[in-house]
Amino acid sequence: MNCYHAFMIILETGSFTKAAEKLGYTQSAVSQMVRSLEEELDTTLLLRSRIGIALTPDGEELLPYIRRLANSHRELMEKQKEMRGLQSGIIRIGAFSSVSCHWLPGLMKNFKNQYPSVVFELHQGEYTSIAKLVKDGSVDFGFVNPHAVSNLNTIALKHDEMLAVLPYNHALNACEQVSLADLANEPFILLDEGQLCEPLEYFKQHNLQPNIQYRVHDDYTIMSMIEKGLGISILPELILNRINYNILTKKISPAIVRTIGIAFKDFKALPIASRYFINFLVKQYGDIIDKRLT
């Protein structure tokens, strides 16, 4: 067992006991790994107390380097598997909620029909945090709006229209479509997706300023708030396909469309399982993408 990987699992779980359970080791073995790492680095990395664990100042400073070593070791093991062919492997993906709930499960199921031993590891986030996970190596690739990230390779996969979401008894109920001007003066609940927000970009293009009353990171929380009459929002159609909230959805004129794609650092350097999965995505969604992958 790589001590750098064990260290990261301890931080992830917040407990030596939980880390040992996840890794399939005894707690004393995991503790010994940390002691060996601390001896190697000639410092103390973790402090234990009754309320859990915490990084020391040295631990905070060394964490990015330990994370990179843990990820590099994983890539080495994946390369070893690649040399034997794709029989197994872990595909680590960053995704936002509408993709992870309503699109990705079907893709994973179809892929596992071909490669049943492959394991998926999902990390939730929004455009900005997902890009950071890709850059620091915590995930192999992430679903993003390609326009929201920089210094990464991107592939556009899917267009997703965004709809106005209103309380069921709203005055705009009778309208077949609504305009941005109709929505601008309403109490607005903003879905915070990081540095890029598609609705705000469209409002800006039309010289309109929405009346933002709330900023929320979760689509389902927003729908619950709308159901209670706290305001209106603009959400992606993908998340609105299967909902149990007493709310209305309306098309917007002009239409607001976001692009869903993937971001990664270097395709050739990705683990073989992730390269296979990306190629699987490209074959299925070739209508708006550049298929040139090597």
Side-chain angles (χ1 to χ4, degrees):
M1 167 57 62
N2 179 272
C3 61
Y4 304 109
H5 176 63
F7 184 81
M8 296 307 300
I9 295 298
I10 292 166
L11 291 182
E12 177 187 314
T13 59
S15 159
F16 278 76
T17 302
K18 292 178 181 177
E21 291 173 357
K22 184 169 183 177
L23 293 169
Y25 279 69
T26 64
Q27 184 175 339
S28 61
V30 172
S31 297
Q32 180 57 46
M33 290 181 202
V34 174
R35 281 196 296 272
S36 297
L37 181 57
E38 290 178 328
E39 289 173 5
E40 177 185 343
L41 298 174
D42 193 25
T43 189
T44 300
L45 299 171
L46 292 174
L47 295 175
R48 298 196 227 189
S49 69
R50 287 180 298 176
I51 61 173
I53 61 170
L55 285 166
T56 65
D58 282 0
E60 290 277 4
E61 191 166 345
L62 291 169
L63 178 60
Y65 301 94
I66 296 173
R67 178 184 287 114
R68 282 199 290 270
L69 285 167
N71 290 331
S72 294
H73 181 264
R74 175 189 171 275
E75 290 170 4
L76 175 64
M77 294 297 100
E78 290 295 328
K79 185 63 179 180
Q80 183 185 39
K81 292 176 184 177
E82 177 179 344
M83 293 168 68
R84 299 196 302 264
L86 179 59
Q87 300 300 324
S88 63
I90 300 174
I91 302 174
R92 302 175 306 160
I93 305 173
F96 45 93
S97 58
S98 56
V99 165
S100 61
C101 291
H102 297 287
W103 191 32
L104 194 50
L107 295 170
M108 292 190 296
K109 179 180 179 181
N110 292 337
F111 189 76
K112 281 182 72 68
N113 286 339
Q114 298 180 43
Y115 306 103
S117 296
V118 167
V119 173
F120 285 90
E121 181 180 302
L122 300 184
H123 296 252
Q124 294 282 139
E126 34 76 17
Y127 299 150
T128 304
S129 63
I130 290 170
K132 184 177 183 299
L133 290 173
V134 175
K135 289 176 181 177
D136 69 24
S138 297
V139 298
D140 302 321
F141 66 93
F143 285 89
V144 296
N145 183 326
H147 303 295
V149 301
S150 60
N151 301 317
L152 290 171
N153 293 301
T154 60
I155 301 174
L157 293 174
K158 181 183 180 70
H159 292 316
D160 186 24
E161 186 172 358
M162 303 192 78
L163 304 177
V165 187
L166 316 168
Y168 198 78
N169 60 352
H170 196 274
L172 295 172
N173 182 12
C175 301
E176 186 174 337
Q177 293 186 345
V178 296
S179 69
L180 287 174
D182 291 330
L183 303 175
N185 293 323
E186 298 286 335
F188 195 82
I189 308 171
L190 180 70
L191 175 62
D192 193 339
E193 292 275 32
Q195 293 179 351
L196 175 69
C197 176
E198 294 92 343
L200 290 187
E201 290 295 317
Y202 276 75
F203 277 116
K204 184 177 179 181
Q205 290 172 19
H206 291 82
N207 297 314
L208 294 169
Q209 180 65 46
N211 178 24
I212 300 173
Q213 297 291 308
Y214 310 92
R215 291 178 180 267
V216 182
H217 291 274
D218 178 69
D219 316 72
Y220 295 100
T221 300
I222 290 177
M223 286 186 272
S224 181
M225 292 170 68
I226 293 170
E227 185 178 50
K228 296 300 182 183
L230 290 173
I232 61 104
S233 190
I234 296 175
L235 296 177
E237 188 172 23
L238 187 60
I239 200 73
L240 297 167
N241 283 336
R242 288 163 42 192
I243 55 173
N244 296 314
Y245 297 93
N246 192 27
I247 55 179
L248 293 171
T249 61
K250 298 287 182 181
K251 285 187 172 292
I252 302 169
S253 179
I256 299 177
V257 179
R258 69 170 179 172
T259 301
I260 300 174
I262 53 174
F264 51 90
K265 288 190 288 188
D266 181 355
F267 184 77
K268 292 181 179 180
L270 289 173
I272 184 173
S274 291
R275 295 208 310 269
Y276 271 51
F277 189 63
I278 289 175
N279 279 323
F280 170 80
L281 293 173
V282 167
K283 288 178 182 177
Q284 293 204 40
Y285 296 92
D287 52 338
I288 67 168
I289 64 177
D290 183 345
K291 293 186 178 182
R292 291 173 295 179
L293 289 176
T294 56

